[in-house]
Amino acid sequence: MTMSQLEKYQMYIGGKWVDPLSVAWLESDNPYDGKPWALIPRGNEEDANRAVAAAKAAYTSGDWPGMNATSRGALLRRLGDLVARDAERLAAVEVRDNGKLINEMSVQLKYVPQWYYYFGGLADKVEGAVIPTDKANMFNYTRHEPLGVVVAITAWNSPLLLTAYKLAPALAAGNTVVLKPSEYTSASALEFAKLVEEAGFPPGVVNVATGYGREVGEALISHPDVAKVAFTGGSATGKHIYETAASGLKRVTLELGGKSPNIVFEDADLEDAVKGAISGIFAATGQTCVAGSRLLLHERVHDEFVDRLLETAKTARMGDPMDVETQVGPVTTPPQYEKVLNYIDIAKDEGATCVLGGHAAQRPECGDGWFVEPTIFDDVTNDMRIAQEEVFGPVLSVIRFGDEEEAVEIANDVMYGLAAGVWTQNVRRAITMADRLQAGTVWVNTYRAISFMSPFGGYKMSGLGRENGADAIREYLQTKSVWISTASEVPNPFVLR
Ligand code: NAD
């Protein structure tokens, strides 16, 4: 395709479709064939400034601040309906942009509307309280008010799902938003903005500014008129955002990386646990924050389990992510592809035993895309880098353990704490493990279950705050305490009341 044949996008700012002030665009590549398919505006600091100005204006004037919460909820539900209507189309855009399977993205996009329905329903159920104060002749109540302009920054692996995690509660609470998608996968956010416009949100309530993190992203997180940054991405970027936000006393929620343990006990249903291990690391080509990238196997079942795992993993069909038969697609970006291959070399150098894959895929069905063979390392010890650092690709580390105590110790001995899986038929063990694992989500006899209703977030270096679930709306609200005197006269003004 020539440059002129590529789909050329504009940014959505203040209810208008605009070219970037830089007059520059970035190519967005299809990971399956490695070729560009779209042009994404390369926003700069001035674009960030005008997006924040539009969001601030929409927060303080126009239809949005006067709109009651019930009407805001109705708008969100309308948006959910439009995403549902266009789910297949949006899924296809995401597959072209991030290379995840059409099977997975179709299911995901059909599920995304639930966030807009759920938080739309919650919008008019945010209630303050009347406080029974100790003061005579005083009426005291609380209100939960929005924060102002929220910047939402997302990673490339599930763009519109991660967007929904942030936008649905932020808008339900009455904030306005500037969305900054990953520079690798911005097309779906711009397609989504068309639905925001169609739903009838007042101009400036939702803005989409695209471009590099260090350009438009940096300008957004340091802008003085931004009240909060809701971020999903890597831990190093998350730390930087936290530090930058601190100087402006901005609030943050951070959803960061993971190195999640998937723990199989000797009493587990091994057939189910093999499926759980596969879904933990090879689904979505391992490019999920909750990837079960450390498989902890009880020594009594280790050999049998590895054999069964290999049997299934060996037959995984790689290829075109748009083909419904494909099970493992490409890695999304060239730097990520290099990173995954580099970690494979590191694991080999560290002395881990490669029992499957261990190199780039050279199968005809993988074309010119960025494919890595599903890779399994056995004999990994938890002090190796391959056990400690997030790979974000189809690379599994198998670690043995002898008993429950050792399993807990290994599982918790990483800087991350996003998720964990436990496979056992013993109820006491399931509950004890769920108590003891340092992770924001623990799955027992299942893996990768998420819902708009259930809190999601990280312990330790995996993040701050929670998304999803009713409490998530609190992350976008601040509390005001209002005192009204019912006394007939003002008392001595020199004394604390
Ligand atoms: P990344 O940190 O490189 O980028 C994430 C986003 O931050 C992108 O939009 C990027 O443009 C932006 N960004 C980068 N530098 C910035 C800056 N200085 N200022 C403002 N914005 C900036 O992460 P990635 O490679 O896109 O995504 C992969 C990571 O995301 C993995 O670590 C993964 O675990 C994590 N992730 C976490 C969750 C979760 O919910 N915990 C979900 C998905 C992905």
Side-chain angles (χ1 to χ4, degrees):
M1 262 198 237
T2 64
M3 285 281 279
S4 59
Q5 288 170 315
L6 301 178
E7 175 99 34
K8 191 175 186 182
Y9 283 95
Q10 291 180 299
M11 290 193 271
Y12 185 62
I13 295 178
K16 296 199 168 63
W17 292 94
V18 295
D19 285 347
L21 292 169
S22 63
V23 204
W25 275 258
L26 304 169
E27 286 182 353
S28 203
D29 299 328
N30 180 339
Y32 174 54
D33 60 14
K35 296 196 174 61
W37 73 276
L39 293 171
I40 301 299
R42 178 175 173 175
N44 60 16
E45 187 178 345
E46 288 173 87
D47 292 308
N49 291 344
R50 63 178 171 155
V52 174
K56 186 180 175 187
Y59 183 72
T60 48
S61 58
D63 292 340
W64 186 248
M67 189 181 289
N68 66 42
T70 306
S71 305
R72 275 205 311 270
L75 261 183
L76 277 166
R77 289 194 294 277
R78 197 175 309 155
L79 178 59
D81 284 343
L82 296 177
V83 175
R85 183 195 69 191
D86 287 4
E88 292 289 358
R89 189 178 66 80
L90 294 169
V93 171
E94 295 222 316
V95 174
R96 210 172 304 141
D97 235 6
N98 74 6
K100 278 171 88 170
L101 305 184
I102 188 67
N103 277 348
E104 163 134 356
M105 296 325 272
S106 294
V107 172
Q108 212 178 82
L109 266 299
K110 284 179 193 146
Y111 195 36
V112 161
Q114 295 300 334
W115 269 260
Y116 298 102
Y117 299 148
Y118 180 79
F119 286 101
L122 208 54
D124 59 4
K125 291 161 197 74
V126 175
E127 295 173 351
V130 174
I131 314 286
T133 68
D134 54 322
K135 316 281 177 204
N137 301 322
M138 280 289 191
F139 174 50
N140 177 220
Y141 68 94
T142 55
R143 287 166 48 79
H144 301 296
E145 299 182 347
L147 303 171
V149 176
V150 172
V151 165
I153 301 180
T154 54
W156 41 258
N157 59 335
S158 289
L160 289 183
L161 182 68
L162 302 176
T163 298
Y165 283 15
K166 296 163 179 53
L167 255 61
L171 296 172
N175 300 281
T176 58
V177 178
V178 179
L179 170 64
K180 209 300 276 175
S182 166
E183 53 272 35
Y184 293 107
T185 56
S186 296
S188 63
L190 293 165
E191 292 290 344
F192 169 80
K194 294 177 187 167
L195 304 184
V196 170
E197 187 178 32
E198 188 180 340
F201 280 84
V205 171
V206 178
N207 308 276
V208 184
T210 56
Y212 288 119
R214 62 178 181 276
E215 294 178 357
V216 71
E218 189 68 34
L220 287 171
I221 61 169
S222 41
H223 197 295
D225 290 336
V226 169
K228 159 153 186 160
V229 182
F231 173 77
T232 298
S235 291
T237 318
K239 260 175 81 176
H240 170 70
I241 285 176
Y242 198 17
E243 283 161 9
T244 308
S247 67
L249 288 187
K250 298 184 200 323
R251 287 155 196 252
V252 293
T253 37
L254 302 172
E255 298 289 356
L256 310 177
K259 194 74 195 176
S260 300
N262 205 356
I263 308 167
V264 182
F265 284 97
E266 70 282 12
D267 62 16
D269 178 323
L270 295 192
E271 203 175 317
D272 285 351
V274 166
K275 288 187 199 149
I278 296 276
S279 115
I281 194 65
F282 299 130
T285 317
Q287 300 174 111
T288 69
C289 50
V290 293
S293 50
R294 289 183 301 149
L295 180 65
L296 273 54
L297 295 181
H298 188 275
E299 57 198 11
R300 267 217 306 275
V301 290
H302 170 277
D303 294 356
E304 182 189 347
F305 196 90
V306 170
D307 286 348
R308 287 197 192 196
L309 183 63
L310 284 173
E311 213 175 289
T312 310
K314 266 182 193 155
T315 62
R317 278 185 300 275
M318 301 182 80
D320 185 351
M322 283 302 286
D323 182 341
V324 291
E325 299 292 315
T326 300
Q327 294 171 317
V328 178
V331 170
T332 301
T333 74
Q336 187 59 27
Y337 173 73
E338 294 302 329
K339 181 178 160 194
V340 174
L341 293 176
N342 187 40
Y343 268 111
I344 288 175
D345 289 342
I346 290 170
K348 288 176 181 169
D349 288 348
E350 286 179 311
T353 312
C354 187
V355 291
L356 184 71
H359 50 83
Q362 277 128 10
R363 310 181 188 195
E365 60 271 30
C366 294
D368 293 329
W370 307 309
F371 283 85
V372 176
E373 288 288 338
T375 295
I376 301 177
F377 283 102
D378 200 357
D379 305 318
V380 173
T381 53
N382 206 47
D383 56 345
M384 292 181 182
R385 285 183 65 191
I386 197 66
Q388 292 287 325
E389 298 173 22
E390 185 185 49
V391 176
F392 217 59
V395 181
L396 181 65
S397 296
V398 178
I399 303 171
R400 288 169 199 250
F401 68 89
D403 58 21
E404 228 171 273
E405 204 52 42
E406 196 187 4
V408 171
E409 198 181 304
I410 296 171
N412 289 340
D413 184 22
V414 281
M415 69 172 182
Y416 295 110
L418 193 58
V422 179
W423 298 85
T424 178
Q425 311 233 26
N426 176 329
V427 176
R428 181 206 59 77
R429 177 175 269 167
I431 295 174
T432 315
M433 290 298 290
D435 286 352
R436 298 184 70 193
L437 289 168
Q438 295 166 356
T441 296
V442 177
W443 291 295
V444 178
N445 296 335
T446 184
Y447 207 85
R448 274 188 98 207
I450 54 139
S451 168
F452 49 92
M453 289 181 178
S454 182
F456 179 78
Y459 280 29
K460 302 193 282 188
M461 291 300 281
S462 288
L464 273 184
R466 290 293 175 270
E467 297 190 307
N468 308 342
D471 284 353
I473 200 166
R474 298 270 172 201
E475 307 267 2
Y476 295 91
L477 290 164
Q478 53 194 336
T479 303
K480 178 180 280 172
S481 177
V482 182
W483 292 87
I484 300 176
S485 171
T486 55
S488 51
E489 59 180 304
V490 175
N492 180 353
F494 295 103
V495 183
L496 182 71
R497 244 148 266 180

